Amino acid sequence: MKPKLEARDICYSYHTTDGETPALSHISFSVPAGEFLAVVGPSGCGKSTLLSLLCGLLEPEEGSVLIDGVPIAQSGQAIGYMLQKDHLFEWRTIYGNVSLGLEIQKKLNRDSGVRLRQMLAAYGLKGFEHSRPSELSGGMRQRAALIRTLALKPDLLLLDEPFSALDYQTRLSVCDDISSLIRESGKTAVLITHDLSEAISTADRVIVLSSRPASVKAVFPLTFGKEYKSPLKRRNAPEFSGYFDQLWRTLKEGPETE
Ligand code: ADP
């Protein structure tokens, strides 16, 4: 079976009046359907650039991005995003926000409306349909943002530090909450983060990038005992500190890292 997502030898540089900034250098990896992949790397190494290439916002200078074996520009597959900010509109109700994508795509009908209400109930937002975003907690807002994303039934989810705007305590529980929901939905997901603990607690595999221009430095498959299913439980698993140590050392070692 073809991987859901494949980055094949991609290179990318920014060109400005000050010159060229190489951001990504010969990056290759593939993500099988249903996998939760985390990508970590030092600040400024090119993580967000990589995500922009994976979703087709930027085109690689060399190499290609394939979804189900088809170049991204021709694939027509739905990609969902979650970003650092939830980008909910204050002038719309929660229902108005989660239905926005469907409305724009003219797919908001009786059936999709029922599905949205089911998701709102399943994700703990029943009774908040008519509330404004400012009336919700940070965690509830991120859940609303996730429903808005999942409403379009994306095959692939790209997450760019989606929890980093939250305070530490909220961040732990929202990360637990949202990544469990993503896992239950069986979606393929790529999480970009600079937080090693977040990567280890959520992912099936972690890719470590070098400092800029980013290349793949190492790949760590993660396995935990069955009883450590959720991100919060994983943090207490005996394997956790070993993985943290390995990732930390990999990030720091070598002449090309910061
Ligand atoms: P990260 O997400 O890992 O912090 P980015 O992908 O945002 O890194 O940026 C990688 C590098 O590319 C940085 O050195 C940044 O300064 C540079 N960069 C990012 N966006 C632009 C741009 N639009 N023009 C020029 N350089 C950019």
Side-chain angles (χ1 to χ4, degrees):
M1 206 165 101
K2 295 226 161 51
K4 178 53 91 191
L5 172 70
E6 190 179 355
R8 252 190 218 167
D9 201 30
I10 55 178
C11 297
Y12 189 83
S13 299
Y14 290 100
H15 299 272
T16 63
T17 46
D18 294 334
E20 188 188 35
T21 308
L24 305 176
S25 171
H26 300 284
I27 291 195
S28 295
F29 60 86
S30 54
V31 191
E35 186 181 57
F36 199 125
L37 175 79
V39 179
V40 299
S43 169
C45 77
K47 297 185 291 300
S48 296
T49 305
L50 176 62
L51 207 83
S52 299
L53 284 151
L54 296 181
C55 66
L57 278 176
L58 294 175
E59 255 188 67
E61 286 179 327
E62 280 179 46
S64 51
V65 176
L66 309 172
I67 297 191
D68 289 329
V70 178
I72 191 165
Q74 291 137 46
S75 90
Q77 292 254 14
I79 301 175
Y81 316 87
M82 274 189 78
L83 307 172
Q84 288 182 19
K85 285 192 176 171
D86 56 50
H87 294 287
L88 296 176
F89 292 120
E90 189 54 32
W91 45 275
R92 290 182 80 112
T93 62
I94 291 303
Y95 184 80
N97 270 286
V98 298
S99 61
L100 184 61
L102 289 169
E103 202 178 303
I104 291 170
Q105 294 195 357
K106 302 203 184 330
K107 289 180 184 162
L108 186 58
N109 50 38
R110 205 171 160 274
D111 286 352
S112 59
V114 167
R115 190 168 160 264
L116 277 182
R117 287 181 195 284
Q118 283 169 347
M119 284 169 87
L120 283 162
Y123 292 13
L125 293 174
K126 194 176 167 63
F128 291 91
E129 292 86 347
H130 304 293
S131 305
R132 300 281 161 181
S134 59
E135 296 172 76
L136 270 58
S137 68
M140 291 164 92
R141 292 177 63 120
Q142 276 298 29
R143 269 184 267 149
L146 179 66
I147 297 173
R148 183 187 53 193
T149 304
L150 294 180
L152 296 169
K153 299 189 177 169
D155 299 303
L156 176 64
L157 278 171
L158 300 178
L159 315 165
D160 191 1
E161 309 242 12
F163 315 119
S164 62
L166 305 167
D167 65 76
Y168 184 68
Q169 213 119 354
T170 313
R171 181 178 179 148
L172 286 185
S173 70
V174 174
C175 171
D176 192 60
D177 194 19
I178 300 278
S179 40
S180 301
L181 293 174
I182 291 172
R183 273 194 185 280
E184 282 159 25
S185 72
K187 304 277 179 206
T188 313
V190 178
L191 167 73
I192 299 276
T193 179
H194 65 268
D195 183 333
L196 300 188
S197 301
E198 195 166 279
I200 299 164
S201 64
T202 53
D204 297 311
R205 221 159 35 112
V206 182
I207 288 183
V208 180
L209 298 179
S210 69
S211 55
R212 193 182 62 75
S215 58
V216 175
K217 212 169 182 188
V219 182
F220 292 94
L222 307 174
T223 39
F224 286 90
K226 277 202 174 68
E227 63 274 40
Y228 301 106
K229 261 192 166 169
S230 78
L232 275 178
K233 287 193 176 135
R234 274 195 185 187
R235 286 174 189 260
N236 293 318
E239 299 91 342
F240 191 91
S241 60
Y243 285 135
F244 190 96
D245 217 46
Q246 279 179 297
L247 282 171
W248 177 257
R249 274 191 278 119
T250 308
L251 261 179
K252 292 284 162 199
E253 80 195 4
E256 80 271 42
T257 49
E258 283 175 338

